[in-house]
């Protein structure tokens, strides 16, 4: 275990950035992952197959987000254990996490495969695309164990201070997915079903390659002896840490779905504009997400080592670096949102609508650079309940109500509607800053190190 990365010594900013860059690349590849499916299906299949992939992947992305968020509990547990110099416990945590996530995979498989028609109805799949959507969901659901395992690898190795292994795993899966799409969709014309099968096979083969590679290197983090007797205390700890983050992410995703529904009331151009805007902002959000995941892993190890001052410095170094980059991104969003829109559409009316939405999002870019670093910091300390609470306050008490309010104003447009998001983010930044000060005052975090 000594070969894994340690964040408890050396230059803080350098270690943080060195870890965050592969995380960012992995997130980028994951974002491109589903885009490739839709792109290839769009080139070689009819409209109903495109609709099926767009609709089915929306649900699968939500479920994948739940798994990724829950895996943060593993990252925190492993990081704090390594910081405590208890490397002998890491294999125990990992193997019990495998039991937890194997059970989760079985549940997801049962739900998606058995209730695929009902889920398609719930997603309002168009009649002509209904059967294809059901097929997409059933094939994806049948491969849930690979989807769960694929995301579990990321949670485990980020906790170990290793962001390269998850990047390699994602890169292999991305290449295999493209090859699979070209074979099953472009050559055999299997449409949405082919795209789903390509994704499942890509993740399965990527996991197989990963385990073969680790066995060849004689890594000892996967110890089958730990399967003899499950430690429900460890399983409960992982679930307790990860479930608040998972619930928060799920409800936040739901809040943005509601905002999209509100935008539909402003007309088809506004609906298309915010849809294109969300696609563009999804890539911009990868930067603060990378800092959040990296901050959680970095802080967790230093919390275990009781190096609280080092964790605090990492928070502010991360904020400063993320904010500087966010200024550039905000400038692009506010003044050149039309250039981002042209990547996805050539309709001038939609480009103009997207540009309005991107201008409001420019303010959110600046706020999330601060907010996401706070979230990663609190996650590293295991304060995931607060992370959940502030997320729910921002989404349910501010973002959604303000979206309804702003959209009802005279002459409301996408800029007006879009301002609900930075307004809620500002509330969340203030909540995080207040909680940070509270922890100092209560001596929950020993700032003297």
């Amino acid at each position: 275990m000594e070969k894994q990365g340690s964040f408890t010594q050396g230059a803080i900013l350098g270690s943080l950035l060195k870890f965050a860059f592969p995380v960012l690349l992995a997130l980028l590849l994951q974002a491109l992952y589903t885009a490739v499916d839709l792109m290839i299906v769009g080139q070689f299949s009819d409209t109903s197959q495109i609709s099926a992939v767009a609709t089915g992947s929306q649900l699968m992305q939500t479920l994948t987000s739940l798994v990724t968020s829950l895996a943060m509990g593993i990252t925190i547990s492993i990081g704090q254990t390594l910081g405590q110099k208890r490397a002998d416990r890491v294999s125990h945590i990992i193997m019990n996490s495998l039991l937890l996530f194997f059970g989760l995979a079985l549940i997801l498989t049962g739900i998606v495969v058995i209730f695929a028609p009902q889920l398609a109805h719930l997603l309002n799949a168009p009649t002509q695309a209904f059967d294809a959507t059901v097929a997409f969901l059933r094939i994806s659901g049948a491969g849930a164990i690979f989807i769960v395992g694929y995301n579990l690898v990321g949670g485990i190795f980020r906790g170990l201070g290793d962001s390269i292994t998850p990047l390699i795993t994602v890169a292999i899966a991305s290449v295999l997915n493209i090859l699979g799409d070209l074979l099953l969709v472009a050559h055999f014309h299997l449409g949405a079903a082919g795209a789903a099968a390509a994704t499942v096979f890509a993740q399965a083969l990527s996991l197989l390659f990963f385990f073969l590679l680790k066995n060849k290197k004689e890594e000892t983090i996967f110890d089958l002896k730990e399967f003899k007797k499950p430690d429900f205390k460890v399983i409960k700890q992982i679930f307790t840490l990860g479930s608040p983050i998972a619930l928060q992410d799920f409800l936040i995703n739901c809040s943005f779905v509601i905002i999209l529904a509100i935008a539909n009331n402003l007309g088809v151009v506004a609906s298309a504009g915010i849809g294109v805007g969300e696609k563009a902002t999804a890539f911009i959000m990868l930067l603060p997400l990378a800092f959040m995941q990296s901050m959680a892993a970095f802080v967790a190890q230093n919390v275990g080592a009781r190096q609280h001052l080092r964790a605090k410095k990492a928070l502010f170094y991360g904020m400063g670096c993320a904010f500087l980059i966010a200024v550039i991104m905000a400038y692009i969003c506010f003044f050149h949102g039309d250039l981002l829109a042209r990547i996805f559409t050539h309709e001038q009316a939609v480009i103009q609508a997207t540009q309005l939405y991107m201008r409001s999002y420019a303010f959110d870019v600046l706020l999330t650079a601060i907010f996401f670093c706070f979230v990663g910091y609190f996650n590293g300390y295991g304060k995931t309940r607060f992370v959940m609470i502030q997320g729910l306050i921002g989404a349910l008490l501010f973002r959604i109500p303000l979206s309804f309010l702003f959209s009802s104003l005279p002459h409301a447009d996408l800029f007006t509607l879009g301002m609900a998001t930075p307004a809620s983010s500002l509330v969340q930044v203030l909540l995080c800053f207040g909680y940070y000060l509270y922890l100092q005052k209560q001596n929950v975090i020993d700032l003297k190190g």
Side-chain angles (χ1 to χ4, degrees), residues 337-404:
D338 57 323
L339 298 179
L340 296 174
R342 292 181 194 279
I343 297 174
F344 300 95
T345 181
H346 297 291
E347 295 288 336
Q348 190 59 37
V350 176
I351 291 173
Q352 292 176 353
T354 303
Q355 187 173 20
L356 282 175
Y357 181 72
M358 296 298 290
R359 282 181 176 173
S360 66
Y361 188 79
F363 299 100
D364 198 50
V365 171
L366 299 174
L367 292 168
T368 52
I370 299 172
F371 162 58
F372 275 46
C373 285
F374 263 130
V375 169
Y377 178 79
F378 293 134
N379 282 340
Y381 267 95
K383 305 295 183 180
T384 57
R385 289 186 181 179
F386 168 76
V387 170
M388 176 188 69
I389 292 170
Q390 62 80 30
L392 298 184
I393 290 174
L396 302 181
L397 299 185
F398 287 90
R399 189 178 301 117
I400 294 175
L402 288 177
S403 296
F404 279 108

Side-chain angles (χ1 to χ4, degrees), residues 44-61:
F44 297 98
S45 301
D46 58 29
T47 305
S48 65
Q49 300 297 317
I50 298 172
S51 175
V53 173
T55 304
S57 62
Q58 181 180 359
L59 175 65
M60 296 311 300
Q61 285 176 25

Side-chain angles (χ1 to χ4, degrees), residues 29 87 99 103 119 140 142 149 154 163 194 200 242-243 267 273 282 318 333 337 359 363 377 391 428 444:
L29 287 174
L99 291 175
L119 291 170
S140 299
S163 58
V200 170
S243 57
C333 287
R359 282 181 176 173
F363 299 100
Y377 178 79
Q428 290 174 270
V444 176

